[in-house]
Amino acid sequence: MSGTISWRRKAVFIGEWLMERTTKSIFYRKYASKQCRSNVTAALAFAYSCAAVSLCAGAVSRDYAAVAVAVPAFVLASVILATKSRLCAVALLLCACADAAMALVGGGGRISGWLLAAGGVFAVRGTFRLHSEYRAFIESNSLSGSFGGVGPGFGAFVPYKAPEKAAAGEAARRRRDAEAAAEAKKFAGRTFVSLLPFAGMFFGICLIWLSISPVFMRLLVCGAQSPEALIRAYRLWYITIVSAVAAAVLLSAACVVFSACRGMITVKAIQIMALSIAFPIFLGGYMVVSEHIPSLIVRAGEDIAQIQSGRLKEATVWLSPKSRPARLPGPYGKGQPEPVTRYGGISRETGGRWVHFYVPECLGFSLDENALYNEDRSIEWNMKNARRYLISCTGNFSLVVNVKPVDL
C-alpha cells in the first residue's frame, strides 16, 4: 500500500512539475482543441488582413486617421499571435470599434473598422475559449484536483485520517490557497503593468487622430468671420498637431518607465515597451516632417503679421472661372472642411503665368458672370470684355484678404 501511495505521489508531482512549465502558447500548440486553434488562427488572419489593407491605403492616400488605427491593430494582432492574451483581444475589439465610430462621425466612409471589429469578436471568443480549456487542463492535472482525470470515490476508498491530522491538513490547505491567491493577484497586477505601454500607445494614437479629425477641424475654421481669424485657426491647428504628437510620445514613454519599474522584465515585455514607444514616434514624426508642420506654423505667423501691418501683396489679375473648393496646407484626411475657394489668376503682373489665390468663404466673393475671362480669346479681347480684379493677399499662403473688381 505504501509503495502504491509513493508511486502515485511521485507521478502527481511529476505531472504538476510539467504543468507549471506548460504555458498557454505550448498548450495551444500541443493540447488545444482543433476548433479552438481554428477560431484563433482565422480571427488573427482576418485582423491582419484588415489592418494591413487599411495601413497601406492610408499610407498611399495620406489618410493619417486610418494609419493611426491600423498600426495599433496590427501590433495587438501580433501580440495575440505570440501570447494568446485575452486582454489584447479585447483591446483589438475596442480599437476596431473606435475606428468604426471615427469613420461614422467623420464621414470618411471607411468600412475597415467594421470588418476589423468582426475579427476582434472572433479573437475575443477564441482567446477566452482557449483560456477555459487551458484552465481545465491545468486543474485536471494539479495536486488539488483529480489524478489522471479520476477523482476520489471512483473505484477507490477515501483514506482514513485522524481528526487532528485532518484539521492540520485543512489549515495547511487554506494557507496554501491563500498564498496561491495572493501570488495570482500579484502576478495579474504585474501582467497588467507590463501591458500598460500598449494602453499608453493606444491613447496617444487617439490623441493624434483627434488632432487631425474633421470634427475638430470644423470646430476651428467654420466660425472664422475674417481672413485673419481663419489663418489664426489654421495656426492653432498646426500647434495642436505638434502638441498631440509630443503628448503621445510622452504618454507612451511614461507608461514604459512605469512598466519597467513595476512590471515584469522579460523579453516579451521589452518588445512591448519598444513597440509602444516606437509607433507614436515614427507615425507622429513622419506626419510632422512630411507635412512640414513646424514650417507651416512659422509661415502662418508671418501671414498674420502681414495682415495686421497691412503690408500685403497686391496684383490686378483676371480670375479663371474654373474655381474649386480648397483648403490651406496641412495633414488632411477624408471629409475635411474646405473653407476657401481656389482661383487661378493671370496677368502681366504675374509674368503671364497662372497663380493660385485662396479666397475665404467669409468674404462672400463671386465672379462677374457677365464678364468672365475666356482662355480661348486674345489678350485684347479679354482687356475689353473680361473683368479684372485687384487682389490683396498674404505672401506665404496666398490667402486673399481683399478683392475688388476693376472697371472694364
Side-chain angles (χ1 to χ4, degrees):
M1 185 66 179
S2 60
T4 304
I5 294 175
S6 176
W7 174 83
R8 292 186 62 178
R9 287 180 177 175
K10 289 180 180 179
V12 172
F13 175 77
I14 294 173
E16 186 181 32
W17 183 80
L18 291 174
M19 289 307 104
E20 289 179 352
R21 285 152 181 78
T22 303
T23 62
K24 189 179 291 186
S25 299
I26 297 175
F27 172 79
Y28 175 80
R29 292 195 301 267
K30 295 184 177 181
Y31 308 109
S33 63
K34 182 178 180 181
Q35 183 179 4
C36 184
R37 290 199 301 268
S38 300
N39 290 341
V40 175
T41 303
L44 291 180
F46 192 70
Y48 266 125
S49 302
C50 294
V53 170
S54 181
L55 183 63
C56 294
V60 171
S61 62
R62 287 193 174 185
D63 186 1
Y64 297 104
V67 175
V69 177
V71 168
F74 193 86
V75 175
L76 288 172
S78 302
V79 176
I80 296 172
L81 180 63
T83 64
K84 311 301 181 294
S85 171
R86 295 174 296 164
L87 181 61
C88 291
V90 175
L92 177 63
L93 178 59
L94 294 177
C95 181
C97 293
D99 183 28
M102 291 171 185
L104 185 63
V105 173
R110 298 193 305 271
I111 62 172
S112 58
W114 301 109
L115 296 177
L116 187 59
V121 170
F122 286 108
V124 170
R125 180 183 177 185
T127 53
F128 272 80
R129 182 168 182 172
L130 174 64
H131 183 75
S132 299
E133 291 186 3
Y134 177 66
R135 294 303 305 171
F137 177 75
I138 294 296
E139 291 174 359
S140 64
N141 293 275
S142 64
L143 281 172
S144 59
S146 61
F147 173 74
V150 179
F154 288 86
F157 292 102
V158 179
Y160 172 77
K161 292 183 180 180
E164 296 81 3
K165 293 183 178 181
E170 182 67 17
R173 186 186 65 81
R174 290 180 180 178
R175 185 171 60 254
R176 287 196 302 270
D177 291 345
E179 292 175 355
E183 188 67 24
K185 185 177 181 180
K186 182 180 179 181
F187 179 77
R190 297 185 66 186
T191 302
F192 175 79
V193 173
S194 299
L195 294 176
L196 192 60
F198 265 129
M201 181 192 69
F202 177 77
F203 286 110
I205 296 298
C206 288
L207 284 176
I208 296 176
W209 179 88
L210 287 173
S211 67
I212 61 176
S213 65
V215 176
F216 179 72
M217 192 62 191
R218 290 191 187 98
L219 291 176
L220 290 178
V221 303
C222 289
Q225 300 298 321
S226 65
E228 182 180 352
L230 179 63
I231 201 167
R232 283 184 180 277
Y234 269 92
R235 184 171 181 267
L236 178 60
W237 181 49
Y238 302 145
I239 295 174
T240 302
I241 293 174
V242 175
S243 301
V245 172
V249 174
L250 291 177
L251 181 60
S252 299
C255 292
V256 166
V257 172
F258 185 80
S259 177
C261 296
R262 298 294 184 89
M264 296 180 292
I265 304 300
T266 62
V267 175
K268 291 181 180 178
I270 294 174
Q271 292 174 351
I272 290 174
M273 294 177 191
L275 290 174
S276 299
I277 198 172
F279 275 109
I281 291 176
F282 286 115
L283 175 64
Y286 172 76
M287 181 178 65
V288 170
V289 173
S290 64
E291 299 292 345
H292 310 288
I293 296 180
S295 174
L296 293 178
I297 296 175
V298 175
R299 292 166 61 191
E302 292 175 351
D303 282 2
I304 292 173
Q306 282 185 348
I307 295 174
Q308 292 176 341
S309 63
R311 296 193 300 268
L312 299 170
K313 292 173 56 179
E314 291 188 350
T316 302
V317 298
W318 287 291
L319 294 179
S320 172
K322 299 177 181 178
S323 61
R324 67 176 184 85
R327 303 178 289 245
L328 295 185
Y332 294 101
K334 296 180 180 179
Q336 295 280 4
E338 297 175 329
V340 297
T341 303
R342 192 186 75 179
Y343 289 92
I346 190 171
S347 69
R348 288 188 177 91
E349 296 181 24
T350 65
R353 296 180 293 105
W354 287 102
V355 178
H356 289 154
F357 298 97
Y358 297 89
V359 181
E361 293 179 353
C362 58
L363 294 181
F365 171 76
S366 61
L367 294 175
D368 185 357
E369 297 294 334
N370 298 320
L372 295 177
Y373 178 79
N374 193 333
E375 298 181 20
D376 298 329
R377 296 283 187 167
S378 63
I379 296 178
E380 289 76 12
W381 185 93
N382 282 293
M383 287 288 292
K384 295 179 180 180
N385 299 280
R387 188 176 299 280
R388 291 182 296 168
Y389 298 88
L390 176 61
I391 300 292
S392 300
C393 64
T394 61
N396 293 320
F397 291 153
S398 297
L399 182 69
V400 175
V401 178
N402 193 12
V403 54
K404 295 179 180 179
V406 178
D407 294 336
L408 293 174

